[in-house]
């Protein structure tokens, strides 16, 4: 029933030009369908109509990043952080774009801000470990992975970055404990 869904959202968007929700939903729909040009056009339209709306800015950054435009996503997520500096998720999104652009120092700074705002932010911890690994700091990445394992002892989540670190070592990695 995709056609009905899209038709309904298009009618809703046309009926009220100031309503952001239908455009955001359409952009998200086209993003899931990998129709980046349509998603990007709708996201830009929503953000242009509502320049300081967090939802509009967020969907634009998400579409830009998914479409491979990490430079524009970096600018968009930077605006998101300026508007909502106390939201850890916004710092995480900015760090994602920074990491993709291989600006590891900036990514670490953004992730540390996210973790200062929310110390138990698991996604930020994992990304921080992976950024440290990509920045060729395997020992720091291993420390972070071990912290994640201590925070989440029954979850395999911490073992994923740990395994990535061990795979970069030049020696045969020891077996990880089974969980």
């Amino acid at each position: 029933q995709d056609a009905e869904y899209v038709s309904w959202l298009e009618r809703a968007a046309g009926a009220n030009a100031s309503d952001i929700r239908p455009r955001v939903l359409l952009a998200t729909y086209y993003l899931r369908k990998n129709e980046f040009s349509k998603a990007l056009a709708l996201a830009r339209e929503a953000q242009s109509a509502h320049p300081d709306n967090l939802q509009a800015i967020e969907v634009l950054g998400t579409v830009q990043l998914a479409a491979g435009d990490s430079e524009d996503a970096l600018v968009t997520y930077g605006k998101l952080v300026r508007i909502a500096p106390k939201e850890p998720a916004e710092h995480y999104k900015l760090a994602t774009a920074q990491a993709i652009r291989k600006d590891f120092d900036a990514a670490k700074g953004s992730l540390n801000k996210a973790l200062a705002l929310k110390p138990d932010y698991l996604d930020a911890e994992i990304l921080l470990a992976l950024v440290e690994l990509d920045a060729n700091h395997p020992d720091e990445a291993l420390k972070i992975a071990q912290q994640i394992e201590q925070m989440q002892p029954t979850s395999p989540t911490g073992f994923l970055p740990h395994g990535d670190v061990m795979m970069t070592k030049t020696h045969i990695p020891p077996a990880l404990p089974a969980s």
Side-chain angles (χ1 to χ4, degrees):
Q1 305 208 1
D2 282 0
E4 275 184 58
Y5 176 73
V6 170
S7 175
W8 184 87
L9 287 175
E10 286 173 346
R11 283 193 313 270
N16 186 355
S18 66
D19 191 1
I20 192 171
R21 190 76 178 141
R23 286 172 184 76
V24 168
L25 289 171
L26 275 169
T28 303
Y29 169 81
Y30 286 123
L31 178 61
R32 284 194 315 263
K33 296 291 185 179
N34 292 325
E35 294 185 41
F36 299 122
S37 61
K38 288 181 181 179
L40 193 54
L42 286 159
R44 283 184 178 141
E45 188 178 305
Q47 199 271 326
S48 291
H50 303 277
D52 292 331
N53 181 286
L54 293 178
Q55 191 176 28
I57 297 167
E58 183 177 341
V59 77
L60 178 59
T62 300
V63 171
Q64 289 168 328
L65 204 55
D69 189 356
S70 61
E71 188 172 331
D72 282 346
L74 190 63
V75 172
T76 301
Y77 285 142
K79 180 176 182 176
L80 196 62
V81 166
R82 284 189 301 280
I83 292 172
K86 296 195 184 289
E87 291 296 324
E90 313 315 355
H91 291 280
Y92 173 81
K93 290 170 190 153
L94 177 59
T96 302
Q98 292 164 329
I100 287 171
R101 299 208 33 91
K102 301 207 181 299
D103 188 350
F104 301 127
D105 289 337
K108 286 189 272 186
S110 294
L111 290 166
N112 285 327
K113 287 176 186 173
L115 289 164
L117 293 166
K118 184 178 177 186
D120 62 342
Y121 195 172
L122 185 59
D123 289 339
E125 287 280 355
I126 292 169
L127 184 56
L128 184 57
L130 297 175
V131 165
E132 289 289 5
L133 188 58
D134 285 345
N136 201 25
H137 302 131
D139 293 335
E140 188 60 33
L142 183 60
K143 286 179 196 173
I144 295 167
Q146 289 169 335
Q147 290 171 351
I148 295 169
E149 291 167 11
Q150 289 175 351
M151 289 179 357
Q152 304 271 328
T154 60
S155 171
T157 305
F159 294 100
L160 297 174
H162 190 151
D164 288 345
V165 171
M166 297 313 291
M167 292 302 292
T168 65
K169 299 284 188 175
T170 55
H171 65 283
I172 297 173
L176 293 174
S179 59

